[in-house]
Amino acid sequence: MPSLITKNTQRNHLIELLRIVFIFLIITGHIACTVTDANDSVYSFLGLKYWKVYYFAVELFFITGGFFLYKTIEKTNSPLKIIKKYYLRLLIPLLFVFILSLMCGFVSLEQFPLILTMVLETGIHSEIIYWGDWYPCIYFWSICLFTGIFFTCKKQSIMLTIIILFVIFSVLYHIPCQKFSETYLNFIPYAFLRGISSVGLGVMAAYLSSLFPKILHNKNIIINSLFTAIEITCLAYTFAYLLNLKSFYSFSVQIMFSLMLIATFNFPGYITKCFAKLKFIPKLSKYVYPIFISQIFCINIVACLNSIYEKPANETAIVLIYIYIIALGAFEYHVIEKWLIPNLKNLFKRLMENNK
């Protein structure tokens, strides 16, 4: 979810909007799983019959993250710099939620090293807070893997990525796995393979997009119309699956979404060009990761209250849960990331200078 797009890179507002939609789907699915009799209330509130693949939006987050990771690798000379920035960006919100969960008794202090080393669902330890605490951990180690490959084996990096994807997707789609926490070969978690394969697919999409000559991204009406058709097809295919309108093979959805990332790079289609004019989208999308992490704590609170009162959900309660999650995410972003952390850094620097 977080990205290290440089200031000189134009933001793709269509992709940023999709990230907002995906986080909404994930939160909605978690609410429906948590609150008593919430399935019917949630889905009727949204005007849908039901959907059962909301979790697949996480795969699409991973693919998007892999896409921007490759673009970051292209513009950065230091692998340690990339890993450090991603680590801090992923850890700080997760640490905030861990502290809140610790205060409420959802976790214990002994579990702090697991958060600090980000090893949840990597084969070392399972989830501890639940409702998505594994995502930043798997994402981080996927980043480390592909950053290491592209900096240490530059000439063979694409071939190695293809081999990794082929092996992992073969395992995922040919060896049955019924439970999220199930492992392959008794030590490789299903979630870890989900993350690596999807991030790798995003990396491959970014690599392929870099092969397109710039002539394809000019103002030629035929080229623009072709890319617009690809955008529409890929969007329709993705949401038909996410909203359970069509039962596609999930791997094909990942491929179609990756194709859309390729097609929208450098804004060749009319849909991407239209969304590029909406300047408010990046202002909202910056809250996606803080909101995702904040919903981990909020859903735990909701689950706790639900176990006490066991009252059926209604539309008002659902709206209040959304507001609660968004407010906590905004607080984490502005107070913790943008105010507290910079001030602590400055304080630490002054203390170090005074000691010299």
Side-chain angles (χ1 to χ4, degrees), residues 9-284:
T9 303
Q10 188 176 359
R11 302 291 290 271
N12 189 322
H13 294 182
L14 174 60
I15 302 304
E16 296 299 313
L17 179 62
L18 289 177
R19 293 172 69 241
I20 296 171
V21 174
F22 294 157
I23 194 63
F24 174 75
L25 294 179
I26 292 171
I27 293 172
T28 302
H30 285 174
I31 293 172
C33 290
T34 307
V35 183
T36 302
D37 298 329
N39 278 329
D40 293 338
S41 298
V42 171
Y43 300 143
S44 63
F45 174 67
L46 295 173
L48 299 169
K49 292 182 178 180
Y50 65 96
W51 72 71
K52 60 182 179 181
V53 288
Y54 69 88
Y55 64 86
F56 194 76
V58 177
E59 262 77 1
L60 305 183
F61 270 123
F62 277 130
I63 293 172
T64 305
F67 188 89
F68 289 119
L69 171 64
Y70 181 83
K71 299 302 179 182
T72 302
I73 290 172
E74 281 189 316
K75 299 175 181 178
T76 310
N77 295 323
S78 171
L80 292 178
K81 183 179 179 181
I82 294 174
I83 292 171
K84 177 185 174 182
K85 286 188 176 182
Y86 269 106
Y87 175 75
L88 293 176
R89 179 71 183 92
L90 291 164
L91 178 66
I92 291 170
L94 184 61
L95 194 57
F96 169 70
V97 165
F98 177 82
I99 293 171
L100 292 180
S101 301
L102 182 65
M103 294 168 62
C104 292
F106 297 144
V107 294
S108 63
L109 188 59
E110 289 78 10
Q111 294 171 315
F112 173 71
L114 301 174
I115 295 294
L116 199 62
T117 53
M118 304 189 76
V119 295
L120 305 183
E121 291 298 333
T122 61
I124 296 176
H125 203 280
S126 59
E127 291 182 287
I128 58 175
I129 317 176
Y130 298 98
W131 303 111
D133 60 350
W134 63 276
Y135 171 84
C137 302
I138 300 300
Y139 185 31
F140 171 72
W141 289 108
S142 299
I143 288 165
C144 291
L145 172 64
F146 289 107
T147 301
I149 288 174
F150 276 86
F151 275 95
T152 59
C153 309
K154 291 183 179 180
K155 293 183 178 180
Q156 298 83 21
S157 56
I158 295 300
M159 183 56 65
L160 285 173
T161 301
I162 293 172
I163 292 172
I164 289 171
L165 291 179
F166 179 81
V167 171
I168 292 179
F169 278 118
S170 296
V171 171
L172 286 174
Y173 292 107
H174 291 285
I175 301 179
C177 183
Q178 302 298 326
K179 297 179 181 179
F180 170 79
S181 58
E182 190 171 330
T183 59
Y184 294 99
L185 303 177
N186 294 323
F187 76 96
I188 305 174
Y190 168 65
F192 204 5
L193 296 185
R194 280 178 69 188
I196 292 176
S197 59
S198 296
V199 171
L201 206 55
V203 168
M204 283 302 303
Y207 168 74
L208 292 175
S209 73
S210 68
L211 300 180
F212 277 82
K214 291 185 177 180
I215 191 173
L216 291 180
H217 304 296
N218 59 19
K219 295 183 179 181
N220 185 305
I221 189 170
I222 297 176
I223 295 298
N224 289 343
S225 299
L226 174 62
F227 277 89
T228 302
I230 295 173
E231 290 171 343
I232 293 172
T233 303
C234 293
L235 284 171
Y237 201 96
T238 300
F239 280 97
Y241 181 79
L242 285 175
L243 302 180
N244 207 38
L245 303 176
K246 279 285 187 178
S247 298
F248 296 124
Y249 190 48
S250 57
F251 178 68
S252 67
V253 183
Q254 291 173 280
I255 294 297
M256 291 296 282
F257 185 75
S258 300
L259 179 60
M260 191 196 70
L261 291 177
I262 297 171
T264 58
F265 185 64
N266 281 348
F267 314 93
Y270 292 116
I271 294 178
T272 312
K273 291 179 188 295
C274 288
F275 278 102
K277 299 175 182 178
L278 303 179
K279 304 301 181 182
F280 68 90
I281 293 178
K283 295 179 181 179
L284 296 178

